[in-house]
Amino acid sequence: MSRIFRVFSSSKSRLFKSLDSRQLVTVQEIKTFQEQGVVCVRGAFREWVDKLKKGVGANHANPSKDGEWLKSEDSQTFYFNDYFNWRRIPEFEEFVRSSPAAEIAGKLMKSEFAVFYHEHVFTKDPGTARGTPWHQDQPYYPVNGWKNCSLWLPLTPVSKVSCLKYVGGSHKWGKWFIPRKFASSKNYNYDNTNTTSKQEAFDDIPDIDGEPDKYELFSWDVQPGDCIAFHMLTLHGAKQTTDIAGRQVVATRWLGEDATFATRPWETSPSYTGGLKPGDAFHTSDTFPVMWRSEQ
């Protein structure tokens, strides 16, 4: 009887090991995320690529009020982005609820649970030349708290040359930087004379492109189904690059149990509050549902 149990247990362990190797993050990847604020997770979403492409097509056909088409320098091609459409685009909702994204984010954050914040679509027409200004994500958001994670998932191949670059360890600098407008790369309007706490003080982003040797920069060649996971305080950006074949990316944003609603000195994006007031925990609003809980 005990021998049968041992055989069953061994088979069960091999099954879960196989599932873990395909879907979940490793101990080293969790460590890298915590220390560097960014890690590349390979192949976790290959079976979701076609479904997400269909969702992107639906988003293109029917953008939300927040969707924008930004012209490239030649005015012939466009960079598109839109967000918070997952409740009206079935492919996005299925991904959020059924893919391993919530569990991957939760484990990288070392969180008790993973709250879904929103999805964000970024696409470029073939041949579009457009840079991404250096920025942190969290200052754009009405979100305070340390436990958070963005999963940047390409649906088309992205070379290391044109991939976003991430400043390793910048999430631990203890600094928040003034957001920049993607259309102009200029800072948001900000008056620091009225700040009452360190949390409300925002700095200018350093000249990373002018002094790249001062920083540990990370970027990768990524394929459809890979993802780059990063902390919302990790600085990232890219010089003007051209995606000859175009680009499609779906990013999802995740929050842990310490995430609370906050105000900023500028209009935040997304503007959806879910009925929350400053200091309220995000997981208390149905607008931002818990999609995964740790078994521990």
Side-chain angles (χ1 to χ4, degrees):
M1 187 73 173
S2 60
R3 180 176 179 274
I4 294 174
F5 176 78
R6 286 196 299 272
V7 171
F8 172 76
S9 298
S10 176
S11 299
K12 186 177 179 182
S13 297
R14 286 196 299 271
L15 171 61
F16 283 121
K17 184 175 181 181
S18 174
L19 289 173
D20 286 351
S21 67
R22 179 174 62 87
Q23 295 182 344
L24 306 181
V25 290
T26 66
V27 171
Q28 182 57 52
E29 286 166 339
I30 295 171
K31 181 180 179 182
T32 300
F33 178 84
Q34 292 287 324
E35 293 179 353
Q36 298 294 346
V38 62
V39 66
C40 183
V41 179
R42 300 289 186 182
F45 301 104
R46 287 173 185 155
E47 64 191 65
W48 289 94
V49 170
D50 289 342
K51 188 174 292 293
L52 287 175
K53 282 186 175 181
K54 185 177 179 181
V56 169
N59 200 172
H60 277 175
N62 186 21
S64 76
K65 64 180 179 61
D66 298 307
E68 58 181 355
W69 297 87
L70 302 177
K71 289 184 179 181
S72 63
E73 285 189 352
D74 61 15
S75 298
Q76 300 298 316
T77 57
F78 288 87
Y79 165 87
F80 170 84
N81 81 93
D82 198 2
Y83 53 82
F84 216 93
N85 293 295
W86 69 281
R87 291 188 184 276
R88 68 184 186 88
I89 296 179
E91 292 80 10
F92 290 166
E93 181 167 11
E94 185 177 351
F95 176 82
V96 170
R97 295 189 184 280
S98 302
S99 81
E103 185 168 358
I104 288 173
K107 290 185 173 180
L108 289 173
M109 294 187 292
K110 293 186 174 180
S111 182
E112 294 177 16
F113 49 79
V115 176
F116 183 62
Y117 187 28
H118 66 90
E119 94 295 334
H120 203 156
V121 169
F122 304 92
T123 69
K124 292 181 180 181
D125 291 340
T128 299
R130 190 173 190 89
T132 301
W134 287 101
H135 67 285
Q136 299 167 311
D137 283 353
Q138 200 163 355
Y140 290 88
Y141 303 152
V143 177
N144 283 348
W146 176 251
K147 293 184 180 182
N148 60 65
C149 178
S150 290
L151 301 180
W152 192 87
L153 197 167
L155 308 180
T156 52
V158 179
S159 70
K160 185 175 181 178
V161 173
S162 62
C163 185
L164 288 168
K165 290 181 172 55
Y166 300 82
V167 181
S170 55
H171 66 313
K172 292 185 175 182
W173 287 356
K175 291 186 176 183
W176 290 52
F177 295 103
I178 304 170
R180 289 178 175 174
K181 297 178 181 179
F182 276 44
S184 65
S185 295
K186 293 181 178 179
N187 280 0
Y188 279 25
N189 291 328
Y190 172 59
D191 181 3
N192 64 1
T193 59
N194 295 321
T195 57
T196 58
S197 69
K198 184 177 180 181
Q199 180 65 58
E200 296 174 345
F202 293 83
D203 297 324
D204 285 316
I205 295 173
D207 184 10
I208 298 168
D209 290 328
E211 300 179 288
D213 293 339
K214 290 179 61 175
Y215 308 98
E216 187 173 11
L217 301 178
F218 291 88
S219 61
W220 296 267
D221 290 308
V222 286
Q223 295 297 318
D226 296 340
C227 81
I228 298 173
F230 59 97
H231 193 279
M232 292 179 186
L233 287 179
T234 300
L235 275 168
H236 56 289
K239 290 183 179 180
Q240 189 179 70
T241 55
T242 302
D243 289 274
I244 302 301
R247 178 186 298 187
Q248 292 190 355
V249 172
V250 175
T252 53
R253 321 294 189 183
W254 303 88
L255 306 175
E257 67 270 12
D258 67 340
T260 57
F261 187 79
T263 58
R264 297 283 182 253
W266 40 73
E267 184 179 354
T268 57
S269 61
S271 58
Y272 305 94
T273 67
L276 297 174
K277 298 177 181 178
D280 288 348
F282 271 86
H283 70 268
T284 62
S285 171
D286 291 339
T287 302
F288 310 105
V290 174
M291 293 295 185
W292 171 84
R293 292 184 182 275
S294 171
E295 292 180 357
Q296 297 179 351

